Amino acid sequence: MNSFWAVFKREVKSYFTTPVAYVFLVVFLFFSGYLTFKQGFFEIRQADMYAFFTNMPLLFVFLVPATAMRLWAEERRVGSIELLLTLPITASQAVLGKFCAAWFFLAIALALTFPMVITVSYLGDPDVGLIITGYLGSLLMAGGFLAVGCFFSAVSKNQVISFVLSVVACGVLVFAGMPTTLNYLSTFSPAGLVAAVENMSFQGHFESIQKGVLKFEDLSYFVLLIIAWVTAGMIILEERKAS
Amino acid sequence: MISVRELRRNFGAIVAVDGVSFDVEKGQVLGFLGPNGAGKSTVMRILTCFLAPDSGTATICGYDILKKPIQVRRSLGYLAENVPAYDEMTVGGFLNFVCDVRQLFGKKRKQALDRIVPMCSIESVYHQTIETLSKGYRRRVGLAQALIHDPEVLILDEPTDGLDPNQKHEVRGLINKMAKDKCIIVSTHILEEVEAVCSRMIIISRGRILVDSTPEKLKQEHRCSLDEVFRKITKSKVA
């Protein structure tokens, strides 16, 4: 357990000692605000954060892989992985330590969007439950994207390659659930397949949490997705660490 | 303390380590020699549980590298060839991270740092980030990292590579000082270093052990300098 915390602490610190954290936070906070107001936050005339949360999948598709790409690719390129994995740390402690550190960082980024909550509360009387589930859904989704990004970061030594691969994978996971994709699919495939694709995607699960409905299937979808990708990351890392 | 049995490891079609066996006892400094690409680093990486062998095994301080990798890593200090470290960290931050992982807290950590920082003469760069260090300082930080928990077994992959003659002398002095109560493996291709620090030497080429002897014995047997012995052995037996 101590080794896990050591990795976690080091990783969180390293986000803030390099410009990565600041660049990420500025870009994320700017776009999360910009998109919300551009898409008619005032025109809707409702004191809720729907417009804010709807953009999260799109933002995360690009920004989460950007935080995840360095996790292992950097470590392998510089060779520090040989240090890390010859210290008394198991591969799972190392992978989980890094994953949780990056997730914690994303949680900080989400927490820093608090002015949005203040704005909405000032303008009206929002449903607090909805805001909380919205944040919970975003955090779970960030974890899902991060697990995908973490896996692809272990796949390649090159950060650009791991970034591109994880953007594509995350994109597929989001856009598979978009109505346009599903409509197109339903023109030639059986209903069962369309439903399966819809259920595999982030979109539906995220929307249902965001609407304030905490269903076991939605929560377990994200939890299983994270466990599966993180485990796959551990396996691939074990395989490729020395190459 | 180290016992290696029939280690084998291939990388694709390349045979890196081909049936290596040896034992090292406490108080010995084993020089691990061989031409580039002979398999020295691979053996070291297997012993530190970074790479898994294809077959064969080894025990370090009684722990099997395949069954108890965490205990093995706890009981050894390892300086890898390219001195991996986290460039964006300061020397102090980096050593504290290693202490975290090695579970040195409170008083023990303070003692360890007070001992190791002057020992590796890195006081002057303690607050500098690692990326700004010269090669020599970087290697000394790597050594400090390997020695911080006062391990029983030390595995050093080319510890004096890139150091100036004074620093080389210091590192060799350091190894000699620690030699009697530790078990040390040093890989190198600097033969004067072997004479300066090693009580025993193994020459390895193409993944096989060619010679396992002491520097004095080898010089007597061949009646020439170690340099010539090395050339004779690696050239004749490989060709």
Side-chain angles (χ1 to χ4, degrees):
Chain A
M1 204 56 197
N2 277 320
S3 312
F4 165 83
W5 282 114
V7 175
F8 178 85
K9 220 169 81 184
R10 198 206 75 75
E11 204 63 38
V12 171
K13 268 192 203 159
S14 92
Y15 273 111
F16 290 96
T17 49
T18 54
V20 179
Y22 305 102
V23 172
F24 176 88
L25 288 176
V26 168
V27 172
F28 172 73
L29 293 175
F30 172 76
F31 278 103
S32 64
Y34 173 75
L35 289 174
T36 310
F37 288 104
K38 190 178 166 268
Q39 287 171 359
F41 173 73
F42 289 117
E43 286 82 346
I44 301 173
R45 307 189 67 80
Q46 267 177 32
D48 65 18
M49 290 178 68
Y50 183 80
F52 171 77
F53 287 122
T54 320
N55 294 314
M56 283 297 145
L58 188 68
L59 272 174
F60 280 168
V61 163
F62 293 100
L63 288 176
V64 175
T67 44
M69 67 181 186
R70 52 180 280 284
L71 288 178
W72 290 107
E74 170 92 351
E75 195 99 24
R76 283 178 58 205
R77 191 182 58 79
V78 180
S80 49
I81 188 167
E82 191 171 354
L83 172 91
L84 188 65
L85 296 181
T86 53
L87 287 171
I89 301 175
T90 59
S92 50
Q93 283 169 338
V95 171
L96 285 175
K98 275 176 177 269
F99 172 78
C100 291
W103 204 5
F104 176 71
F105 172 68
L106 291 172
I108 294 178
L110 275 173
L112 286 177
T113 60
F114 70 91
M116 212 44 230
V117 183
I118 296 177
T119 312
V120 172
S121 320
Y122 177 74
L123 293 174
D125 185 20
D127 183 343
V128 179
L130 265 184
I131 294 180
I132 294 176
T133 52
Y135 273 114
L136 179 73
S138 305
L139 190 63
L140 282 173
M141 190 174 55
F145 282 139
L146 192 64
V148 174
C150 200
F151 169 82
F152 283 107
S153 174
V155 164
S156 170
K157 259 186 209 181
N158 188 319
Q159 294 200 23
V160 177
I161 293 178
S162 54
F163 175 73
V164 172
L165 287 177
S166 36
V167 167
V168 170
C170 293
V172 168
L173 279 171
V174 170
F175 291 108
M178 292 282 181
T180 40
T181 321
L182 294 174
N183 285 343
Y184 173 68
L185 271 182
S186 59
T187 55
F188 59 87
S189 31
L193 185 71
V194 177
V197 170
E198 192 180 356
N199 274 315
M200 294 290 276
S201 159
F202 276 43
Q203 198 63 28
H205 298 286
F206 174 64
E207 264 170 20
S208 107
I209 296 182
Q210 190 200 338
K211 279 178 196 146
V213 193
L214 280 182
K215 275 190 291 187
F216 177 73
E217 57 171 274
D218 296 326
L219 294 177
S220 57
Y221 167 81
F222 283 111
V223 172
L224 282 178
L225 188 96
I226 291 172
I227 293 175
W229 283 96
V230 168
T231 315
M234 282 176 199
I235 296 169
I236 202 96
L237 187 75
E238 232 2 91
E239 194 96 328
R240 301 202 166 186
K241 61 185 178 187
S243 66
Chain B
M1 285 187 112
I2 301 181
S3 153
V4 180
R5 292 283 161 271
E6 285 295 312
L7 281 188
R8 267 170 230 282
R9 169 81 201 205
N10 298 349
F11 293 107
I14 303 162
V15 182
V17 180
D18 188 9
V20 166
S21 307
F22 59 87
D23 292 274
V24 194
E25 298 306 325
K26 189 173 171 174
Q28 275 189 335
V29 180
L30 171 70
F32 214 51
L33 283 95
N36 287 329
K40 302 182 295 265
S41 293
T42 309
V43 171
M44 293 185 150
R45 285 174 163 188
I46 293 174
L47 290 182
T48 52
C49 313
F50 182 62
L51 277 178
D54 291 339
S55 69
T57 187
T59 55
I60 288 180
C61 297
Y63 300 114
D64 192 294
I65 54 163
L66 299 173
K67 292 176 196 140
K68 304 253 181 208
I70 293 298
Q71 277 89 337
V72 167
R73 292 177 197 172
R74 259 190 211 133
S75 47
L76 61 77
Y78 174 47
L79 174 66
E81 193 179 359
N82 52 357
V83 204
Y86 293 105
D87 285 350
E88 79 278 3
M89 294 178 101
T90 63
V91 173
F94 176 64
L95 291 179
N96 273 302
F97 162 67
V98 177
C99 286
D100 276 346
V101 177
R102 298 238 178 240
Q103 301 186 16
L104 295 168
F105 299 108
K107 222 176 165 189
K108 268 193 191 164
R109 170 176 308 195
K110 198 172 170 301
Q111 279 171 355
L113 286 171
D114 286 347
R115 183 177 58 89
I116 210 71
V117 171
M119 191 167 152
C120 299
S121 3
I122 47 175
E123 302 99 323
S124 59
V125 294
Y126 193 74
H127 297 290
Q128 236 170 288
T129 52
I130 293 178
E131 62 193 344
T132 61
L133 299 183
S134 67
K135 214 172 170 188
Y137 270 116
R138 196 186 164 93
R139 202 159 282 265
R140 283 194 249 169
V141 171
L143 256 172
Q145 165 275 124
L147 291 169
I148 201 155
H149 55 302
D150 200 17
E152 290 178 82
V153 173
L154 256 184
I155 297 183
L156 308 173
D157 202 347
E158 303 192 4
T160 60
D161 187 39
L163 301 188
D164 67 38
N166 291 336
Q167 295 168 338
K168 273 185 190 164
H169 183 77
E170 277 170 33
V171 170
R172 286 173 196 162
L174 206 66
I175 295 176
N176 278 330
K177 213 162 62 185
M178 295 182 299
K180 57 181 181 302
D181 41 29
K182 291 196 195 309
C183 166
I184 306 178
I185 303 185
V186 179
S187 95
T188 178
H189 33 232
I190 308 167
L191 290 153
E192 54 179 78
E193 191 158 296
V194 177
E195 285 183 270
V197 298
C198 299
S199 55
R200 187 176 144 201
M201 63 188 273
I202 283 180
I203 298 182
I204 167 172
S205 183
R206 296 201 181 169
R208 287 167 178 274
I209 292 182
L210 302 179
V211 173
D212 182 351
S213 179
T214 65
E216 289 74 33
K217 249 196 223 165
L218 272 181
K219 275 197 287 187
Q220 272 174 10
E221 275 170 25
H222 294 263
R223 297 214 182 100
C224 53
S225 71
L226 272 186
D227 240 23
E228 285 168 65
V229 176
F230 181 80
R231 269 200 299 275
K232 262 189 204 168
I233 291 170
T234 48
K235 283 198 172 150
S236 67
K237 295 207 177 169
V238 169

